[in-house]
Amino acid sequence: MAAHTTYFPPNTFPDLKLSFLLLSILVGMASAQLSSNFYATSCPNALTTISAAVNTTVSNEKRMGASLLRLHFHDCFVNGCDASILLDDTSNFTGEKTALPNANSIRGFDVIDTIKSQLESLCPNVVSCADIVAVAARDSVVALGGPSWTVQLGRRDSTTASLSTANTDIPAPRLNLSGLITSFSNKGFTANEMVALSGSHTIGQARCTNFRTRIYNETNIDSTFAASLRGNCPSTGGDSNLSPLDVTSPTSFDNAYYSNLVSQKGLLHSDQQLFNGGSTDALVNTYSSNLGRFTTDFSNGMVKMGNLSPLTGSNGQIRTNCRSVNSG
């Protein structure tokens, strides 16, 4: 009886190689996803270290809580949550710090530096700057009385930044409702999620230059509110004078921001656009009377924002100094 010989068609092995390649890619993708316990073994005290630093900072200056939250938002909207906003300018690229939405406005870099230094002492080259920014944002909200959420971890840091993308992708305070919806839609958010995330303006302050036109020229604003703002924001000069985004409770993370919008007391043009006879009025009304609904939707929106195009696996790096790319 003749020996049996297995016959493989000519194209079998290439197909097998392709199958193994696809499998390895899928496995790589699965292993590169963010997870809530990413540092459980490599740096078990990472989250408590960040939390302690944020609590101390916000206790000393409540405004910094809003600044750290905004830092995360402005980072994630520019090529994903990759700590690109922290990079100083170099001879190779101009960073994002001088972009129009950030210049003379974005802050909190020293706080991130301090936290990074503490973590480098605990577990060198382990915790990314991007993760520090994401966790600090959550801890800031909690420190000001707001909700908590589970921050997914495992982001890596970018090796470059984009001034031009920062100028185009971060929503401007002059946008109308349609522009706001488009800006957030470009990042994968629904109009409802945009309204929920806008609730971050229940804390923090804005510069006169960003609301001057509204308080002098717009009609959909409470007249007494507008008059009170003009004292600190003259028609010329005083560009950097600050006023709270939420006039009712500017250092408490609550839903007063939405009640202010219903009363036509939104500070920025873009704020009042959320309640101006358009498609988002009903949700603003809901949030103004239902704190639980707002905090739940806000928390879900923050988790989704933190997942915007993170660098994972072998992409990017773990910067030793958050302000500069690792050498070598």
Side-chain angles (χ1 to χ4, degrees):
M1 185 176 180
H4 176 71
T5 302
T6 302
Y7 172 70
F8 291 99
N11 291 328
T12 298
F13 291 111
D15 286 347
L16 283 173
K17 288 180 180 178
L18 180 60
S19 297
F20 281 123
L21 177 62
L22 291 173
L23 180 61
S24 65
I25 290 173
L26 289 172
V27 170
M29 288 173 62
S31 64
Q33 297 305 302
L34 304 181
S35 68
S36 60
N37 61 352
F38 189 83
Y39 298 113
T41 302
S42 59
C43 194
N45 293 321
L47 296 185
T48 54
T49 299
I50 298 171
S51 176
V54 169
N55 286 338
T56 298
T57 298
V58 175
S59 177
N60 291 333
E61 185 198 355
K62 292 189 181 299
R63 182 189 168 205
M64 188 56 75
S67 297
L68 291 171
L69 175 59
R70 185 166 177 252
L71 193 64
H72 181 43
F73 173 72
H74 282 216
D75 179 37
C76 292
F77 259 58
V78 182
N79 298 326
C81 309
D82 59 2
S84 60
I85 196 170
L86 305 179
L87 288 171
D88 289 338
D89 295 352
T90 71
S91 57
N92 296 322
F93 64 82
T94 302
E96 298 162 19
K97 292 180 177 179
T98 56
L100 290 175
N102 298 331
N104 303 312
S105 172
I106 206 80
R107 55 201 296 271
F109 301 112
D110 292 344
V111 178
I112 302 300
D113 288 341
T114 298
I115 296 172
K116 179 61 174 175
S117 178
Q118 293 173 352
L119 291 174
E120 285 299 301
S121 296
L122 279 177
C123 31
N125 307 313
V126 172
V127 183
S128 69
C129 301
D131 277 348
I132 294 172
V133 171
V135 175
R138 187 270 311 272
D139 292 346
S140 292
V141 170
V142 173
L144 293 173
S148 184
W149 59 90
T150 300
V151 178
Q152 299 298 305
L153 302 163
R155 300 169 191 79
R156 289 168 66 85
D157 301 324
S158 66
T159 55
T160 188
S162 177
L163 176 72
S164 60
T165 305
N167 277 325
T168 58
D169 287 17
I170 297 174
R174 64 180 179 277
L175 287 180
N176 292 327
L177 180 60
S178 60
L180 290 167
I181 291 173
T182 298
S183 180
F184 277 77
S185 176
N186 288 340
K187 302 297 178 183
F189 293 102
T190 65
N192 283 7
E193 289 169 332
M194 179 271 291
V195 175
L197 288 172
S198 296
S200 61
H201 284 184
T202 188
I203 53 176
Q205 303 183 65
R207 293 185 301 144
C208 167
T209 186
N210 288 321
F211 60 85
R212 177 183 285 117
T213 299
R214 171 157 167 73
I215 65 174
Y216 283 97
N217 299 328
E218 296 186 7
T219 57
N220 60 342
I221 186 170
D222 179 86
S223 58
T224 303
F225 175 61
S228 70
L229 291 167
R230 291 177 194 139
N232 192 43
C233 183
S235 56
T236 57
D239 284 3
S240 294
N241 292 354
L242 298 170
S243 288
L245 289 156
D246 170 1
V247 68
T248 306
S249 50
T251 58
S252 296
F253 196 97
D254 53 29
N255 59 340
Y257 166 78
Y258 297 102
S259 300
N260 292 336
L261 297 185
V262 174
S263 302
Q264 291 195 320
K265 294 179 182 178
L267 182 65
L268 303 177
H269 175 83
S270 56
D271 288 329
Q272 196 60 57
Q273 284 293 298
L274 303 183
F275 191 85
N276 194 43
S279 59
T280 56
D281 281 15
L283 188 57
V284 170
N285 267 322
T286 297
Y287 287 158
S288 72
S289 60
N290 191 332
L291 176 62
R293 169 76 182 277
F294 161 56
T295 55
T296 296
D297 289 357
F298 178 82
S299 298
N300 290 336
M302 288 300 295
V303 172
K304 183 172 178 178
M305 189 176 76
N307 287 334
L308 285 178
S309 307
L311 297 171
T312 57
S314 59
N315 294 318
Q317 59 181 212
I318 306 297
R319 285 190 226 132
T320 303
N321 178 343
C322 291
R323 295 172 181 260
S324 59
V325 174
N326 296 344
S327 59

